[in-house]
Amino acid sequence: MRLARFKTVRGRLLALLVAIALPIACLTALAALTTYRTVIAAIEVSQARAADGFAVRTRVWYRGALRSLLATGTVIASTSGGDADCAVSGRALLQQVQGYRAFHVLTNAGRACAVSLDPGLTVADLVAASARLKSLPPVKVWGGAELAQIRYDYVTLAERRYLAIYTRNPDPATVLQEALLLVDPQLLDQVFDLGEAGEGMKVALISSGGTVVTSRNSTKSDEDAWLPREEVVPPGQIRWEAPSRTGGMRTYAAQLVAEPDLYVIASFDEAPARAARVQFLVLLFAPLLTLLLLCIVYLRAIDRHCVVWLRGIEATARARSTHPNARAVIAEDMPADIRSVAEAFNTMVDEQEVRQRRLQTALDDNRFLVRELHHRVKNSLQVVQSYIGLTKRDYRDEARLALADAECRVHVLSAAYRFTLADGEMQPVRVDLFIEDVVAMIDNLIRRRDQWVSSRLETEATLSVDRIIPLGFLVVDVASRMLRTTPGVSLTIIVRDVDASTIAITLEADREIAPSEPPKIFAGLVAQIEAVQVEPAEGRRLGSWHVRHNV
């Protein structure tokens, strides 16, 4: 990063902080996202394994019940006693194993034995249940040796639901041909024990068609309300999200137990996912907020310990134009390097003031000398003008006119210095006041009795003394040549504004005047004024010049 692109100290320090904090923020966000995805994947795997675990436990329970049925049925079928002995042995067996409610055994000799602990169950009910289960296809073997042809299902007899384990042996030489065991579904509660991890989870053993055989964490009122709206018989192990029968979205995991009818389905609420999202937000925003807080603290530290002192020095430097005695503040809590800059600034200001005082003293002395010099020049010019005026009395005709012309020109010099030093300082001279004074002197010194000289001044422009003097000479030269050669003429000197930076100087007579060739010095006067002649001497007009005054 090129910090030179940033023009301020604060900008460069902030850019450096962003250059450090931005990669950290990106890595933090990446770590939080990775953690979130890992947790979500772990939750999904855990949910799928939960359904698989319940299915395995259900299979183990069924396999154990099957082994009990085969062992008991074989013993009963091998006993040569009558129906009374069968009933006694069978009843003792059912009473010994809690949850076993009835069984029906058929031997290869055609002898049947049926025992039930529930009064509502009759032998005919057991025979009918065996016949129905016999007509259904057996389940596939889960693994290991095939004990017999098996059917796991449920039956509803005498308005009660029972888990049914049915087995038959197609070999006619086998003593036990058929056996049916009916079990109370509550016996599976220990298989579906959810433990502490069961909060927010519902588990059920489902038969095809969506019939709940047994369930946990559900009440009678909502026994099947949490099941998916559309039944999905799992081909194996699956996990999906779907709307429940009540309309809310839930997560489901299912595992087939006994193909094709029985499967275990588990439903999970959003608590683990919400916790994962909260954890993700905490992992994401806690470091980001920490970085933001660090940036804010860093910026405040920059402002308090750096920028504020620099701005104070800057404000002092700018305030010196109106407050010459301003100094940079030096405080105890200033950083050492900025304190050194402030002290160096104050030292520089002190030295500058010393130099300024010396320069001001020298300037005042020079101004005094210049004023004195110009006063001497003005006084000398007045002496010369007075001497010429006294000498003029001793001459007549051309000599007197020549001395009057010279006296008028000396007056131009004297008037220019008088106006420029009117307030004790050299300053520009107002053109209208100067021309009015020159016109009055021409009227007094050069004009004859039958001639008239007037002015029309419509400007407030100013010119420096170096340009106003040749302007006066130009007016005197033109007026003198015309008045000396044209008896009875009236002359008007017009000065007006052309625009904001230009004035026009025009000399007019009351009659047409034959133009005369100006002296060689006239071109020098025009160049010194920086004037441009816009109209030549022709007819009544003796010439017109434009002079720029804001230069």
Side-chain angles (χ1 to χ4, degrees):
M1 177 182 290
R2 295 182 178 179
L3 295 179
R5 295 179 179 177
F6 301 91
K7 302 304 181 183
T8 63
V9 174
R10 184 181 185 183
R12 294 186 181 184
L13 293 178
L14 181 59
L16 182 62
L17 178 61
V18 170
I20 297 173
L22 188 60
I24 297 176
C26 293
L27 292 176
T28 300
L30 181 61
L33 182 61
T34 303
T35 303
Y36 174 71
R37 290 182 175 177
T38 303
V39 172
I40 291 297
I43 291 174
E44 294 176 355
V45 172
S46 174
Q47 291 173 349
R49 287 180 177 177
D52 185 60
F54 288 123
V56 170
R57 283 188 276 176
T58 304
R59 288 178 177 180
V60 171
W61 181 87
Y62 270 116
R63 180 61 65 90
L66 175 64
R67 290 180 183 275
S68 298
L69 177 61
L70 290 175
T72 303
T74 301
V75 171
I76 293 175
S78 301
T79 303
S80 57
D83 292 341
D85 293 337
C86 171
V88 172
S89 300
R91 187 172 295 277
L93 171 65
L94 294 178
Q95 291 176 347
Q96 186 66 31
V97 181
Q98 183 180 3
Y100 285 9
R101 306 308 301 169
F103 74 88
H104 176 266
V105 175
L106 181 64
T107 67
N108 59 353
R111 185 168 59 91
C113 179
V115 180
S116 173
L117 295 181
D118 293 339
L121 289 177
T122 63
V123 175
D125 292 334
L126 297 177
V127 172
S130 296
R132 190 179 70 83
L133 294 175
K134 183 179 180 178
S135 65
L136 298 175
V139 301
K140 292 183 179 181
V141 179
W142 295 328
E146 183 175 358
L147 301 176
Q149 291 184 357
I150 311 161
R151 176 71 188 183
Y152 301 126
D153 210 328
Y154 78 97
V155 295
T156 302
L157 299 173
E159 298 181 354
R160 287 192 63 182
R161 186 176 295 170
Y162 298 94
L163 298 176
I165 299 97
Y166 171 80
T167 179
R168 70 186 181 90
N169 199 326
D171 186 3
T174 305
V175 176
L176 180 64
Q177 288 295 301
E178 295 182 23
L180 171 65
L181 176 63
L182 299 183
V183 182
D184 189 347
Q186 292 183 356
L187 192 60
L188 279 180
D189 285 352
Q190 57 185 346
V191 176
F192 286 88
D193 184 16
L194 305 181
E196 296 179 357
E199 185 178 356
M201 178 172 63
K202 299 178 185 295
V203 183
L205 180 64
I206 306 296
S207 176
S208 60
T211 303
V212 178
V213 178
T214 184
S215 65
R216 288 297 300 268
N217 270 11
S218 59
T219 61
K220 283 291 184 179
S221 59
D222 66 342
E223 183 180 34
D224 59 353
W226 56 272
L227 293 176
R229 181 181 302 171
E230 297 180 1
E231 183 184 16
V232 178
V233 179
Q237 183 190 80
I238 61 172
R239 179 188 175 279
W240 76 103
E241 293 182 359
S244 67
R245 294 181 181 179
T246 57
M249 293 295 295
R250 292 185 67 89
T251 302
Y252 297 95
Q255 173 67 49
L256 193 64
V257 173
E259 186 179 350
D261 294 322
L262 290 179
Y263 60 92
V264 169
I265 185 169
S267 177
F268 309 90
D269 61 10
E270 293 295 321
R274 285 197 300 268
R277 284 193 290 270
V278 171
Q279 182 183 14
F280 166 70
L281 295 177
V282 171
L283 291 177
L284 176 63
F285 288 108
L288 295 181
L289 291 176
T290 302
L291 289 175
L292 179 60
L293 180 61
L294 178 62
C295 290
I296 294 174
V297 173
Y298 188 68
L299 288 177
R300 287 182 61 85
I302 292 174
D303 287 339
R304 182 176 180 181
H305 299 288
C306 182
V307 176
V308 66
W309 303 115
L310 295 178
R311 287 178 178 171
I313 297 175
E314 178 189 6
T316 302
R318 296 183 183 278
R320 282 188 49 77
S321 59
T322 55
H323 300 84
N325 296 325
R327 295 291 186 275
V329 177
I330 298 177
E332 293 295 332
D333 55 343
M334 287 181 68
D337 47 358
I338 299 181
R339 178 198 291 269
S340 178
V341 172
E343 292 175 349
F345 175 81
N346 290 341
T347 301
M348 179 190 67
V349 170
D350 293 337
E351 293 176 352
Q352 182 183 12
E353 288 186 350
V354 172
R355 289 194 300 271
Q356 286 180 344
R357 284 195 294 270
R358 292 175 179 174
L359 290 175
Q360 187 64 40
T361 301
L363 182 61
D364 292 341
D365 293 341
N366 288 337
R367 287 177 178 174
F368 177 76
L369 293 176
V370 169
R371 284 197 302 270
E372 288 297 319
L373 177 61
H374 283 287
H375 278 300
R376 294 291 183 268
V377 171
K378 182 183 68 173
N379 296 336
S380 298
L381 291 174
Q382 290 176 348
V383 170
V384 171
Q385 182 180 357
S386 300
Y387 181 75
I388 294 175
L390 294 174
T391 305
K392 184 178 60 174
R393 297 177 181 178
D394 298 332
Y395 294 90
R396 296 288 183 274
D397 301 329
E398 288 298 326
R400 184 182 180 87
L401 291 175
L403 290 174
D405 186 79
E407 183 181 1
C408 190
R409 294 175 188 271
V410 172
H411 177 77
V412 168
L413 293 171
S414 177
Y417 279 104
R418 184 175 74 253
F419 281 113
T420 194
L421 294 173
D423 296 328
E425 296 286 341
M426 298 259 330
Q427 56 186 357
V429 180
R430 281 186 53 172
V431 176
D432 55 345
L433 299 179
F434 176 76
I435 295 298
E436 185 178 8
D437 188 272
V438 171
V439 169
M441 187 56 61
I442 293 174
D443 185 72
N444 291 331
L445 298 179
I446 303 177
R447 180 184 67 87
R448 298 176 183 174
R449 294 188 178 186
D450 59 345
Q451 296 175 332
W452 298 94
V453 179
S454 62
S455 62
R456 189 163 70 244
L457 308 175
E458 300 174 356
T459 182
E460 293 184 358
T462 60
L463 290 175
S464 65
V465 67
D466 295 333
R467 299 178 67 198
I468 202 71
I469 291 175
L471 176 61
F473 286 164
L474 182 145
V475 172
V476 170
D477 183 87
V478 175
S480 176
R481 285 188 285 112
M482 186 200 67
L483 294 174
R484 291 174 61 181
T485 59
T486 308
V489 70
S490 294
L491 175 64
T492 303
I493 301 171
I494 305 170
V495 180
R496 60 181 179 85
D497 289 322
V498 177
D499 52 41
S501 60
T502 307
I503 58 174
I505 301 172
T506 306
L507 282 80
E508 292 183 353
D510 61 346
R511 68 190 71 173
E512 292 187 359
I513 304 296
S516 60
E517 188 70 20
K520 295 181 179 181
I521 196 174
F522 190 82
L525 295 176
V526 173
Q528 192 173 357
I529 305 171
E530 301 178 9
V532 177
Q533 186 170 9
V534 294
E535 293 184 16
E538 183 178 2
R540 295 175 54 190
R541 184 151 298 183
L542 306 179
S544 180
W545 297 267
H546 282 184
V547 179
R548 295 181 61 83
H549 56 83
N550 289 336
V551 295

